[in-house]
Structures are given as C-alpha cells and as structure tokens.
Amino acid sequence: MRKLAWLSILVFVACGGGGGDFTGGGGGGGGFGATPGGVKDMQFARELIAAGQVPPPEALLVEGMFSEHDLALDGPPCPRVLCLRAGLGIAPTVDGEASGWFQVGLSSTIDPATYVRPSTTFIATVDTSGSMGFGYVDDPTPGEVSRRLLHAIADQLRPDDRIAIVTYGNIVTVPLSIVPGDDPRIHEVIAGLGAEGVTDMESGLIAAYELAALAETPEVRVLLFTDVQPNVGATTPTQFQTIVGNGAAEGVGLTVFGMGLGLGQELLAAMSHLRGGNAFSLNEFEDVGKLIEEEWPWFVSPISHDLSLTLTPSAGFDVS
C-alpha cells in the first residue's frame, strides 16, 4: 500500500505576512497567507550550527521550517477569513517506496493595508535573572536584546492598548501596572530594567496571568522574554504547560521570545504549542527590527483556534 505523507500538519492558525507563511494565492490581501502557531522559526538551530555546535533534536521543528518559507498554492480567491487549499504530488521516498505528498496551503481575505488590530492588553513578563545579562548595553546579551524588543513593541502600541510589565529573578516585581499604550512610563520602566539572581519563571508567569485576568480589552496576551532556563520552582515542560494551559483556557495567548544560545528549546516548544501560543528566537540586535517588520501585528491576534482537518485517502493509500 502506498503512503500519503503530510507536508504540513495544522493545529492553531495565526494570521501571517511576509515570506515566512503558508500562503494561498488570490486572497483579499493580494494572496495574503496564514501560518500555524508554535515555534515560528529555525533561528536557534541555525545560530548553533553557525557557532560550530550540533542543535538538539527539539530545535529542528517542522512548523519552524515551514514558517520560514512561502509555500503558495494556486486557487480561486479566498472568500473567508481563513481558507484551506490542498496540493498533492507523487514521488518515491528515500527508500524508493511509492508515495504521495500532501500539502495544505492557507490563505485569507485579510488585507494588510486595511487591517485594524483589536485593542490588546500585553503583559510583558521579563526574565531579569543573572543569565540574561542586562546592563551590557553594546553587547547583544539576552537581556539587552529583550530591552530593545520591549522598546520596539512599546512603539507599536496605541492609546486603546494596555500594557503591564512583570519581572522575575530572585523575586517577582510589577514595575508597571496595567496602563494605556501611550503612557510615557512604559519606556522609562524598560530603560531601568536590570539583572539579578536566579530564575523563578514559575512565579513570574503566575503573576503575569493574575494580571491578565484583570484585562478589559478584546485580546489579552502574555509576552515572555527569557532564555528559558528556570532553576527555581517549576523547571519541567509539563509544569509550565499546566500554567500556560490554564491561561489559554481563559482566552489569554502566550508569545515566548527566546533569547540567546543558551535557550531551553524543549520548554520553549512545549509552552508555545498550546492554544493561542507562538514563539520566536532572537540572538542579535538586528533580529529585533526583522521581527517587528515581518511579524507585527500578526503574531498578536489569532484568526483561528483548534483547527481540525479530515483527510480521506483514496483507495490504495494510507496516511503516515
């Protein structure tokens, strides 16, 4: 029996733009596409290879690879916020087995030129432990890349947005409670961030989700800035999946910004695979501008949750 293999498996879909998306032609935005959630790039693996290291298996993720490429599928104009198109090719496997290769392409009526993002409450949750390296202003340490990204995101906020800042290291602090997106204190607090001590990420996330429960905007999202190296409190993927999963059940999304080559990739992937989750890796200052240019505001507002797809193979095929 011949195998029908997936080229992409879809669970959560977030609106996407630029060259890193599954794109369908003819959408309302001139062929604008969409892309699954989860880890959104292969940056961490590429940086390790460039540094002469071998990436761990959990750094080589299918959705990260696909999100870096534009895999367009031709078809009629998309009439809905989310459309699916299929493509099939016949080719043998490496072992010579006759196989079909099935691709799902995503497109949307969303037009980037006219899209208005819903007002959103952002709970920026910042790892200020010693491993982040805050204070090395001219060096792209995880802390200083985080600071630049925080400033860049703050520059995108509107008065109808809301933002709070939570920090965690030895202790959890809330240097900025929920304020409007144009509050001048936002940049002042970001500029004053510094590093100290251990990494109690569990307590930081718990405090972030408690603040998120107070939000009154249509969208709520926790933004986690971290090298994902917790060493106090919860440290395993399962423990953090419980925290993030409980928040997701209440409608709070999570974006993890993984910083540096010491990244805990397994934990990053575990959290970002949950409902409403996604993740990006950043290592250099120039990664900040690229992320804002290509991914803002698309990673903020999902256009579909819990997408399921039924596939009935033709006679003579099964699915692998």
Side-chain angles (χ1 to χ4, degrees), residues 34-257:
T35 181
V39 178
K40 303 292 291 175
D41 55 59
M42 295 279 286
Q43 176 99 345
F44 179 59
R46 296 183 196 284
E47 292 287 345
L48 287 177
I49 293 169
Q53 302 178 46
V54 177
E58 58 267 20
L60 304 172
L61 297 172
V62 170
E63 72 269 24
M65 179 183 69
F66 279 123
S67 288
E68 290 186 341
H69 296 83
D70 185 359
L71 302 175
L73 286 176
D74 291 332
C78 175
R80 298 181 297 275
V81 172
L82 177 65
C83 296
L84 278 67
R85 295 195 180 98
L88 178 67
I90 304 298
T93 66
V94 173
D95 297 329
E97 183 180 12
S99 297
W101 300 88
F102 182 67
Q103 176 188 345
V104 175
L106 308 176
S107 60
S108 175
T109 56
I110 288 176
D111 187 343
T114 59
Y115 175 73
V116 178
R117 174 178 57 80
S119 60
T120 303
T121 296
F122 298 94
I123 311 296
T125 309
V126 188
D127 182 349
T128 54
S129 64
S131 64
M132 291 291 285
F134 277 98
Y136 298 90
V137 180
D138 296 324
D139 295 328
T141 62
E144 290 306 319
V145 175
S146 295
R147 193 194 310 276
R148 292 204 183 186
L149 181 55
L150 277 161
H151 279 305
I153 289 175
D155 287 339
Q156 309 302 316
L157 301 184
R158 305 188 307 251
D160 62 328
D161 291 319
R162 297 292 182 267
I163 186 171
I165 297 178
V166 176
T167 67
Y168 65 91
N170 286 333
I171 60 173
V172 175
T173 67
V174 183
L176 186 70
S177 297
I178 297 176
V179 298
D182 60 350
D183 193 306
R185 291 173 293 174
I186 300 170
H187 286 290
E188 294 173 7
V189 170
I190 295 170
L193 294 175
E196 45 78 29
V198 297
T199 311
D200 187 359
M201 192 164 79
E202 177 187 19
S203 296
L205 276 175
I206 289 173
Y209 282 107
E210 288 174 350
L211 270 177
L214 304 177
E216 298 179 347
T217 53
E219 298 279 350
V220 186
R221 181 160 292 269
V222 171
L223 306 178
L224 180 60
F225 300 77
T226 180
D227 58 4
V228 203
Q229 298 184 50
N231 52 25
V232 172
T235 58
T236 68
T238 300
Q239 291 170 301
F240 284 103
Q241 282 182 319
T242 299
I243 297 171
V244 176
N246 290 338
E250 299 298 323
V252 180
L254 173 72
T255 296
V256 185
F257 297 113

Side-chain angles (χ1 to χ4, degrees), residues 275-296:
R275 188 180 193 272
N278 49 40
F280 302 87
S281 300
L282 298 93
N283 297 287
E284 304 292 340
F285 290 138
E286 52 263 32
D287 295 338
V288 172
K290 180 180 178 182
L291 186 144
I292 295 296
E293 179 182 359
E294 295 183 357
E295 304 293 347
W296 181 273

